[in-house]
């Protein structure tokens, strides 16, 4: 059997009872370590789960997953995923590959930012399409996601913005070399995202887009952890707002909010 097990958003104890029972009985347990992170490291998880974990980086998950799936034909293999297992398309692809190999699969769901974002008081059924905001470089400044934000906003829907993380990303210089070199881990902050959005708004210079630097947004950090932080303010203000260590998310609320949403958000302003 190949198990995909969600770990939740906080620390080692956020795993479900079902997930923990499976982890402790499997022949091998891999920890996916590049689409998200917990507030604790591998060693803390190993101590709580009472078994060793094998780090599964991007190369293993995207290029060498077939070898793991072949092992799952004769052994019980688990892949642990921060949040919910199906929050990333990588894991959906794994399930399809497992089916091709004739491997039985099981998913153990858990909380993810997709539903835990409601901690800021915005109602989940008022969210539109989720977007991802990538890091910009000096030569690459994509903004196609902005149209999705505008689309949600025009339909009076909230937008959850997932902020870029880079773990074990190869340097541009090493891409043409036999030996890969990797950048230091990098996590986008709410400040980074707000600055990019303000620049996009300035470049668009379109009165019909409705979003301005004065638009109300909500910054969230370490959702699910004991030290989670939520701040509501203008996009302009968020450029200077320090929400501490990762992971961060940004929400752009709909222009017309329900009275309960307004009342709940007021405590974070």
């Amino acid at each position: 059997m190949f198990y995909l097990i969600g770990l939740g958003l906080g620390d080692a104890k956020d795993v479900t009872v079902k997930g923990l029972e499976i982890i402790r009985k499997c022949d091998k347990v891999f920890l996916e370590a590049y689409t998200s992170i917990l507030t604790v490291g591998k060693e803390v998880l190993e101590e709580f789960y009472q078994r060793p974990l094998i780090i599964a980086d991007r190369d293993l998950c995207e290029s060498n997953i077939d070898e793991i799936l072949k092992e799952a034909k004769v052994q019980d293999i688990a892949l642990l995923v921060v949040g919910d297992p199906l929050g990333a398309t990588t894991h959906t692809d794994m399930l399809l590959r497992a089916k091709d190999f004739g491997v039985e699969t099981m998913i153990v769901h858990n909380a993810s930012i997709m539903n835990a974002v409601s901690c800021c008081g915005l109602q989940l059924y008022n969210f539109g399409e989720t977007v991802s905001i990538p890091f910009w470089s000096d030569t690459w400044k994509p903004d196609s996601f902005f149209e999705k934000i505008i689309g949600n906003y025009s339909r009076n829907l909230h937008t959850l913005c997932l902020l870029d993380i880079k773990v074990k990303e190869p340097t541009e210089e090493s891409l043409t070399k036999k030996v890969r070199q990797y950048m230091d881990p990098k996590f986008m902050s709410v400040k980074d995202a707000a600055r990019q959005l303000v620049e996009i708004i300035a470049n668009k210079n379109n009165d019909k887009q409705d979003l301005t630097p004065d638009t109300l947004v909500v910054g969230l950090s370490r959702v699910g952890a004991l030290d989670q932080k939520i701040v509501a303010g203008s996009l302009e203000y968020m450029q200077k707002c320090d929400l501490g260590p990762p992971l961060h998310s940004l929400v752009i609320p709909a222009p017309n909010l329900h009275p309960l949403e307004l009342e709940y958000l007021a405590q974070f302003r």
Side-chain angles (χ1 to χ4, degrees):
M1 181 79 78
F2 177 66
Y3 297 93
L4 274 175
I5 300 175
L7 299 184
L9 291 168
D11 55 30
K13 293 183 179 180
D14 280 355
V15 67
T16 64
V17 174
K18 180 190 291 185
L20 184 59
E21 289 176 345
I22 294 170
I23 289 168
R24 288 178 174 170
K25 80 176 183 67
C26 278
D27 298 294
K28 284 186 181 180
V29 182
F30 293 86
L31 174 63
E32 193 259 71
Y34 79 93
T35 59
S36 190
I37 58 168
L38 287 176
T39 58
V40 296
K42 171 175 173 280
E43 294 76 16
V44 175
L45 297 178
E46 288 178 324
E47 182 178 357
F48 185 74
Y49 300 156
Q50 298 176 9
R51 63 160 310 134
L53 304 177
I54 304 166
I55 292 295
D57 60 16
R58 180 186 291 273
D59 288 340
L60 188 150
C61 289
E62 293 185 350
S63 302
N64 299 308
I65 190 63
D66 288 359
E67 298 307 313
I68 294 174
L69 294 175
K70 289 174 183 176
E71 287 187 58
K73 294 192 76 169
V74 294
Q75 292 182 308
D76 286 330
I77 307 289
L79 178 67
L80 311 185
V81 180
V82 176
D84 186 83
L86 299 186
T89 54
T90 297
H91 308 125
T92 305
D93 179 66
M94 289 179 186
L95 294 173
L96 292 173
R97 287 175 176 270
K99 184 178 180 180
D100 289 340
F101 284 124
V103 175
E104 293 291 322
T105 61
M106 180 176 175
I107 303 163
V108 181
H109 292 285
N110 209 320
S112 76
I113 190 61
M114 301 293 284
N115 63 308
V117 67
S118 59
C119 66
C120 70
L122 297 175
Q123 296 165 357
L124 284 177
Y125 51 76
N126 288 335
F127 275 80
E129 186 174 359
T130 299
V131 306
S132 296
I133 300 181
F135 275 116
W136 281 357
S137 69
D138 293 337
T139 57
W140 190 66
K141 294 187 176 183
D143 63 3
S144 58
F145 61 87
F146 188 72
E147 296 305 317
K148 295 180 181 179
I149 296 174
I150 295 299
N152 287 339
Y153 199 79
S154 67
R155 296 191 298 276
N156 204 48
L157 298 173
H158 314 311
T159 303
L160 169 60
C161 302
L162 304 178
L163 308 188
D164 201 3
I165 71 172
K166 293 188 179 298
V167 178
K168 204 174 180 183
E169 290 279 336
T171 61
E172 289 186 17
E173 296 80 7
S174 72
L175 289 175
T176 56
K177 300 178 181 177
K178 291 183 179 180
V179 179
R180 287 287 175 90
Q181 294 177 317
Y182 297 95
M183 305 178 201
D184 293 333
K186 187 178 180 183
F187 305 91
M188 182 179 284
S189 68
V190 164
K191 286 197 295 187
D192 296 329
R195 287 168 184 161
Q196 290 185 188
L197 283 169
V198 167
E199 185 173 334
I200 290 170
I201 289 170
N203 290 338
K204 295 291 184 183
N205 194 25
N206 184 351
D207 293 337
K208 294 181 180 179
Q209 68 191 24
D210 296 322
L211 290 187
T212 73
D214 293 325
T215 296
L216 173 68
V217 298
V218 184
L220 306 97
S221 62
R222 298 174 304 286
V223 171
L226 293 175
D227 64 342
Q228 81 171 23
K229 194 168 184 179
I230 305 172
V231 176
S234 70
L235 198 54
E236 183 77 35
Y237 171 75
M238 284 297 170
Q239 294 182 101
K240 309 180 189 73
C241 189
D242 185 1
L243 294 184
L247 292 171
H248 290 195
S249 301
L250 182 71
V251 177
I252 300 173
N256 301 305
L257 300 178
H258 187 280
L260 284 177
E261 292 178 313
L262 285 169
E263 183 179 353
Y264 205 92
L265 273 180
Q267 66 186 302
F268 305 124
R269 302 194 71 164

